[in-house]
């Protein structure tokens, strides 16, 4: 790691460090979406990681980078669910203590998954921002080591390994579409891609309800947004008013950002299931929603869409894809 933040060398080092358990995920041709865009669309299946979300990449890289002393102190984090599951998995692999602080909007299935991996989960307040207060307390009072869900160079480097895999699998990529919340995922991917192919277009997609990074880009600085219930629960939460890394990365490297509505997310989940046989959670489907709704400018050419996670309660999922959700 350099003083200036994450480099592509850090991302290459992360790639060597985290496999296994992190796997080079499949890049699957999606004929039903190619038919919509007139180009070639591929799906990057981060739904196939052991924790059913890409966040295992950053979590493994972070915990494998800790010193012996830090490992003894244990790690604490706030999470909308998938980072917590990644940290819980990584902590179990390495035999260290993990405490995950979550807000009340985090779905039950995600909390159960973290507990099943042996992590201690604390439900604190109504938002991720409130959960962060408890993280700070545990760092200050118990000496635990914070493992931020996105604003951490090791986490960003871990997520960036997706960009290296995309370049290996499709060196001719024109566009990469990535779900956007705190920006660790898209920041890492954009770094990896643009270091090799500066001309690749990187597009971030958030849900309309609480698009914290997009609001911050508009304001020219990190701003707070209200955290609202959304099908894309994994994209909830702010970017941190004291954001150090991801705001600059996204501002400097991401070519365009878009938002999608709740209805558009539900339609994309149903489409991925019916036409492409993929179970994807709301946050993981926002890129496909943008393509299906014709929101991506110049959609032709070769496009990869990151399906970032599959952690949805299956009863909720069935209701959404059959159109019976309330
Ligand atoms: C965390 C998460 C994202 C967003 O990642 P950021 O690094 O916060 O932008 C997207 N999809 C899923 C499924 C996630 O869990």
């Amino acid at each position: 790691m350099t003083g200036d933040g994450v480099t592509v060398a850090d991302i290459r080092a992360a790639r060597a460090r985290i496999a296994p358990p992190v796997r080079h995920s499949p890049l699957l041709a999606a004929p039903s979406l190619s038919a919509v865009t007139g180009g070639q669309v591929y799906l990057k299946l981060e739904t196939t990681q052991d924790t059913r979300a890409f966040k295992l990449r950053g979590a493994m890289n972070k915990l494998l980078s800790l010193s012996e002393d830090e490992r003894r102190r244990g790690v604490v984090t706030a999470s909308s669910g998938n980072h917590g599951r990644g940290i819980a998995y990584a902590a179990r692999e390495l035999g260290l203590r993990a405490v995950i602080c979550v807000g009340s909007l985090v779905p039950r299935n995600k909390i159960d998954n973290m507990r099943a991996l042996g992590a201690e989960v604390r439900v604190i307040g109504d938002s991720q921002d409130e959960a962060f207060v408890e993280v700070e307390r545990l760092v200050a009072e118990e000496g635990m080591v914070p493992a931020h869900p996105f604003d951490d160079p090791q986490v960003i480097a871990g997520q960036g390994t997706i960009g290296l895999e995309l370049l290996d699998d499709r060196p001719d990529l024109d566009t990469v579409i990535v779900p956007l919340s705190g920006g660790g995922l898209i920041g890492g991917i954009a770094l990896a891609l643009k270091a090799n192919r500066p001309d690749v277009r990187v597009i971030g997609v958030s849900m309309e309800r609480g698009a914290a990074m997009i609001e911050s880009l508009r304001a020219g600085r990190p701003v707070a947004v209200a955290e609202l219930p959304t099908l894309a629960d994994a994209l909830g939460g702010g970017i941190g008013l004291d954001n150090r890394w991801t705001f600059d990365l996204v501002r400097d490297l991401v070519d365009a950002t878009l938002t999608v509505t709740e209805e558009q997310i539900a339609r994309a989940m149903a489409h991925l299931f019916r036409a492409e046989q993929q179970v994807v959670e709301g946050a993981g489907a926002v890129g496909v929603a943008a393509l299906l709704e014709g929101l991506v400018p110049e959609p032709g050419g070769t496009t990869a869409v990151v399906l970032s996670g599959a952690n949805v309660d299956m009863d909720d999922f069935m209701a959404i894809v059959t159109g019976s959700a309330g």
Side-chain angles (χ1 to χ4, degrees), residues 22-30 33 41-55 57 162 165-166 169 177 179 185 189 272-273 276-281 284-285 288 304-310:
V22 172
R23 52 175 66 90
H24 182 139
S25 63
L27 190 65
L28 188 76
L33 293 166
V41 179
Y42 295 87
L43 304 174
K44 179 68 169 161
L45 301 186
E46 287 301 298
T47 51
T48 60
Q49 299 296 346
D50 281 359
T51 55
R52 303 295 183 265
F54 72 91
K55 287 218 173 68
R57 296 174 184 265
I162 293 171
E165 293 176 14
L166 288 171
D169 292 347
I177 304 179
L185 175 62
I189 291 176
L272 280 165
F273 186 59
E276 299 293 343
Q277 295 76 42
Q278 301 300 317
V279 173
V280 181
E281 63 180 281
V288 167
V305 191
V306 177
L307 302 190
S308 49

Side-chain angles (χ1 to χ4, degrees), residues 159-224:
Q159 324 305 29
T161 57
I162 293 171
L164 299 181
E165 293 176 14
L166 288 171
L167 288 171
D168 282 355
D169 292 347
R170 294 267 10 150
D172 60 336
L173 273 177
D174 297 306
T175 301
V176 179
I177 304 179
V178 187
L180 169 61
S181 175
L185 175 62
I186 200 170
I189 291 176
L191 259 171
L193 289 172
K194 300 222 172 190
N196 297 281
R197 291 266 324 276
D199 54 316
V200 173
R201 185 170 64 145
V202 179
I203 298 178
V205 186
S206 299
M207 71 296 185
E208 211 172 80
R209 291 168 71 89
M213 180 62 84
I214 294 177
E215 298 285 326
S216 298
L217 291 170
R218 249 179 230 136
R221 67 190 153 77
V223 294

Side-chain angles (χ1 to χ4, degrees), residues 21-279:
V22 172
R23 52 175 66 90
H24 182 139
S25 63
L27 190 65
L28 188 76
S32 72
L33 293 166
S34 300
V36 170
T37 67
Q40 294 296 317
V41 179
Y42 295 87
L43 304 174
K44 179 68 169 161
L45 301 186
E46 287 301 298
T47 51
T48 60
Q49 299 296 346
D50 281 359
T51 55
R52 303 295 183 265
F54 72 91
K55 287 218 173 68
L56 186 58
R57 296 174 184 265
M60 282 301 301
N61 195 44
K62 175 70 183 178
L63 298 204
L64 285 167
S65 305
L66 297 180
S67 68
E68 273 308 312
D69 172 59
E70 287 171 323
R71 288 191 193 197
R72 263 194 305 278
R73 284 149 56 195
V75 290
V76 58
T77 191
S79 172
S80 56
N82 287 329
H83 174 67
R85 186 171 178 183
I87 289 287
Y89 183 109
R92 193 191 56 174
E93 288 279 298
L94 304 180
L96 44 92
R97 177 179 176 219
V99 176
I100 321 288
C101 304
V102 301
S104 61
L105 292 176
V106 172
R108 186 81 236 167
N109 65 304
K110 287 185 169 158
I111 292 176
D112 292 344
N113 286 331
M114 292 184 252
R115 290 201 169 123
L117 289 165
E120 188 183 325
V121 181
R122 300 193 185 169
V123 182
I124 311 280
D126 292 329
S127 68
Q128 185 158 233
D129 291 346
E130 288 172 68
F132 273 116
V133 175
E134 175 71 359
V135 172
E136 278 165 27
R137 193 187 69 76
L138 287 167
V139 171
E141 292 177 14
E142 296 188 22
M144 297 192 79
V145 177
H148 197 281
F150 52 84
D151 205 24
D152 179 303
Q154 304 288 3
V155 170
I156 296 164
Q159 324 305 29
T161 57
I162 293 171
L164 299 181
E165 293 176 14
L166 288 171
L167 288 171
D168 282 355
D169 292 347
R170 294 267 10 150
D172 60 336
L173 273 177
D174 297 306
T175 301
V176 179
I177 304 179
V178 187
L180 169 61
S181 175
L185 175 62
I186 200 170
I189 291 176
L191 259 171
L193 289 172
K194 300 222 172 190
N196 297 281
R197 291 266 324 276
D199 54 316
V200 173
R201 185 170 64 145
V202 179
I203 298 178
V205 186
S206 299
M207 71 296 185
E208 211 172 80
R209 291 168 71 89
M213 180 62 84
I214 294 177
E215 298 285 326
S216 298
L217 291 170
R218 249 179 230 136
R221 67 190 153 77
V223 294
V225 295
E227 194 171 331
L228 303 166
T230 166
L231 287 175
D233 54 82
L235 302 185
I239 69 164
L241 296 179
D242 54 352
N243 187 290
R244 267 194 81 190
W245 307 104
T246 59
F247 176 76
D248 288 354
L249 268 179
V250 174
R251 184 194 56 207
D252 295 347
L253 296 181
V254 172
D255 297 284
T257 57
L258 303 166
T259 59
V260 291
T261 66
E262 296 298 303
E263 260 173 31
Q264 291 170 338
I265 295 169
R267 273 204 292 276
M269 290 169 79
H271 179 91
L272 280 165
F273 186 59
R274 289 169 189 278
E276 299 293 343
Q277 295 76 42
Q278 301 300 317
V279 173

